[in-house]
Amino acid sequence: MDLFQSRRYIIQGVFILVILIYLLRLFYMQVVDKNYKQLANSNSLRRVTVYPARGLIYDRKQRLVLYNKAEYDLMVLPIQVTPFDTAELANVLNVDVSYVKKTLVKARKASPYKPYTFLKGIQADQFQSVRESLFQFAGFYSQVRTVRSYPYVAAAHVLGYIGEVSPKQLERLGSYYRQGDYIGITGIEESYEEILRGNKGVRYMLVDVNNREQGSFAEGKYDTIASPGLNVVSSIDIELQQYGEKLMQNKIGSIVAIEPSTGEVLAMVSSPSYDPGLLSGKDRGKNFKVLYADPNKPLFNRSVKAPYPPGSTFKPLMAAIGMQEQVIQPWAPFSMCRGGINIGSLHIGCHPHAAIGNVCVAIAVSCNGYFAHYFREVVDNRKKHKNISAGLDAWNAYLKRFGLGIKTGIDLPGEGYGFAPDAKYYTKRYKTDEWRSSMIVSIGFGQGELSTTPLQIANMMCAFANRGYWITPHLVKEIQNDSSSLKNRITTHQTGIDTAICRIVIKGMEDVVEAGTARIAKLPGISICGKTGTAQNPHGKDHSLFACFAPRDHPKIAIAVIVENSGYGATWAAPIASLMIEKYMNDTISTVRKYLETNMFEGNLIKQTP
């Protein structure tokens, strides 16, 4: 018992000692140390936020694609404002007198004791005259910040933009941000906001009665230094990106190009696009309204968000699933398609083509009947699945392992899922679980309810290029002084398709370009393996699609192209994809293919859009 009481007295003594230390420290700060008293005096001190330089962004070849330039915000602390000539301040700032009056009212309503952004985005060359006049206006002071500048008019959807933090974001994001701060809104700017933004600092400045700064308080003893954001290296090749945007000008659609061995995105074009510089600086709000109102939706990133039927670009995957499920015998002929096939009362149409001697020929000539038949064989296979629901779910599982119907995990905000229907979906749709494969057969050749994003189609090509796996696609390949941030984002995904089966599919895709539906994409000296697609569109003309990788051995690039409302896959998408490959692989376009390049550059399909 004596030991217990002894411990209790020790603990009580410790608590009393801690309280005494806090009381003594408080007395010292409030009574003895005059510095803290002066620091609390808002009439003689100004707390200035020091905004860090935002991290720079480079392309894969270390070319600077996004940097900073200085701008100034005019701040006001309402509690310090004394009567002043509003007309004179309006003249100094080149704004209306009504703006001065209204903004001051807003500042006072927000809080008399907190700084308020009175006028933002004053250019450096214009600010000198403002600075010289500030002594006339008590409570007003300047604050420098950096805004983004774009040396290339390209990659707007990839890079993204920054804008003022919203009230909802202020509630959600915690204490770092304040009203008037800027934050990444889209693209890499949003995904890597915490890395790019850096950390703010604070300076305490002495201010005289004429509103002029007299220097640092206490020789900067209480200041904190702003730390700049980290620079990032993007996987984008900015020259290839520019070239892709030029090919897609006056067209609606997308190009996504990926390096299969790494998952690094080489180019990501969403068309129509816009000059990223329009969403930087003081005119950002006005320009945003114009872009937002554009009926062609230039702000919408089709590459990762827009769902399209994959059309015949899906057939290589259907062939792989059929072989893996052992319902397709690779070298067996198929004679059922004669201008199409009949499934009960349903007729599946098909274009004229050569006799199908094996699965490679079926891929090369893009036979609808072949893939409709073997889709049914997969989902109706009672040797492996107890019923059609189990069969369709097994089919659906293959799609997800290829990255379809799910998010790929790319480091961009707002990625779409596309849609890969499963048994539960059809049971709900038909209000019964007794639906049949003949009722859903169109998804077996890339139509019906099946939808994919351009990114997902390009990623599917990566899986074949790698002979059975894909790596999480990503736009940032390196972060300055930070080697760990990317590790958890980038993983390898196995598809469950045997390497030998992938090789057979690849042979079929090589035949597509060498002698099949995409001969226009053939490149001398470079073996391209691909698949055309003509996706039915209920809202107008069919979409033109082409997906491929090159070269066949040790692939360097996988690419998907979608051109909306433009017809056959070989008409627009295949030529664009082959030009992108030639540009990336050879750095130039051969003379004999210049005509094709010119046709793509000059094609104007937006006018033809219904």
Side-chain angles (χ1 to χ4, degrees), residues 259-430:
E259 184 177 66
S261 61
T262 63
E264 293 171 4
V265 178
L266 303 170
M268 179 176 281
V269 177
S270 179
S271 183
S273 188
Y274 60 93
D275 178 354
L278 292 174
L279 298 183
S280 179
K282 64 179 181 179
D283 293 328
R284 188 192 76 84
K286 179 177 66 177
N287 294 333
F288 180 86
K289 289 179 181 178
V290 173
L291 292 169
Y292 185 79
D294 189 324
N296 290 317
K297 300 182 179 180
L299 294 172
F300 180 58
N301 188 352
R302 290 170 168 83
S303 299
V304 298
K305 295 182 180 181
Y308 298 95
S312 295
T313 63
F314 179 73
K315 289 173 180 175
L317 177 52
M318 189 63 240
I321 295 171
M323 285 186 280
Q324 190 69 41
E325 290 286 290
Q326 299 180 350
V327 300
I328 293 179
Q329 301 305 314
W331 310 117
F334 181 80
S335 59
M336 294 175 61
C337 184
R338 296 180 176 87
I341 64 171
N342 294 318
I343 301 174
S345 60
L346 177 68
H347 178 73
I348 304 296
C350 193
H351 56 275
H353 54 69
I356 298 175
N358 54 58
V359 67
C360 296
V361 176
I363 294 171
V365 302
S366 197
C367 176
N368 287 342
Y370 184 95
F371 294 100
H373 173 77
Y374 283 113
F375 167 75
R376 296 190 71 205
E377 290 288 302
V378 168
V379 301
D380 287 335
N381 186 1
R382 294 297 185 268
K383 293 180 180 178
K384 294 196 69 171
H385 311 296
K386 64 180 181 179
N387 54 36
I388 188 174
S389 292
L392 183 65
D393 285 345
W395 174 87
N396 179 278
Y398 279 109
L399 269 61
K400 285 183 166 56
R401 289 197 290 270
F402 269 82
L404 307 185
I406 61 172
K407 291 185 177 183
T408 66
I410 192 171
D411 49 352
L412 276 184
E415 181 186 4
Y417 289 86
F419 183 63
D422 58 10
K424 185 178 179 180
Y425 167 79
Y426 285 114
T427 297
K428 183 177 180 180
R429 176 179 174 179
Y430 292 115

Side-chain angles (χ1 to χ4, degrees), residues 595-609:
Y595 81 95
L596 192 61
E597 181 185 58
T598 300
N599 290 344
M600 297 301 108
F601 282 162
E602 295 179 353
N604 188 343
L605 302 178
I606 290 182
K607 291 180 181 179
Q608 301 171 18
T609 302

Side-chain angles (χ1 to χ4, degrees), residues 77-90:
L77 189 60
I79 193 65
Q80 293 183 349
V81 174
T82 58
F84 64 94
D85 187 338
T86 54
E88 177 62 20
L89 181 58

Side-chain angles (χ1 to χ4, degrees), residues 15-72:
F15 274 109
I16 292 169
L17 180 61
V18 170
I19 292 170
L20 284 173
I21 291 172
Y22 273 109
L23 289 173
L24 289 171
R25 182 62 177 166
L26 187 62
F27 175 80
Y28 176 80
M29 291 170 60
Q30 293 182 339
V31 179
V32 178
D33 191 344
K34 302 301 181 183
N35 286 336
Y36 284 97
K37 183 177 180 181
Q38 193 172 11
L39 186 60
N41 187 346
S42 62
N43 291 321
S44 58
L45 285 178
R46 176 177 295 153
R47 185 182 186 276
V48 179
T49 299
V50 181
Y51 286 93
R54 199 167 174 87
L56 310 180
I57 300 179
Y58 296 85
D59 87 333
R60 66 187 297 107
K61 295 181 179 178
Q62 299 296 322
R63 291 171 292 208
L64 189 62
V65 295
L66 184 53
Y67 65 94
N68 301 311
K69 63 179 181 180
E71 279 189 354
Y72 294 85

Side-chain angles (χ1 to χ4, degrees), residues 51 54 120 145-148 150 159-174 176-198 200 279 284:
Y51 286 93
R54 199 167 174 87
K120 58 187 175 183
R145 70 166 75 239
T146 56
V147 294
R148 300 306 235 174
Y150 305 84
L159 298 173
Y161 61 90
I162 60 174
E164 192 168 332
V165 63
S166 68
K168 287 185 178 180
Q169 287 173 317
L170 287 174
E171 291 178 8
R172 177 169 54 87
L173 296 175
Y176 179 85
Y177 297 95
R178 296 287 184 269
Q179 183 178 355
D181 283 357
Y182 286 86
I183 190 173
I185 303 294
T186 61
I188 292 174
E189 293 276 33
E190 179 179 351
S191 295
Y192 292 87
E193 164 67 15
E194 292 186 10
I195 287 168
L196 290 166
R197 76 186 183 192
K200 292 181 287 190
L279 298 183
R284 188 192 76 84

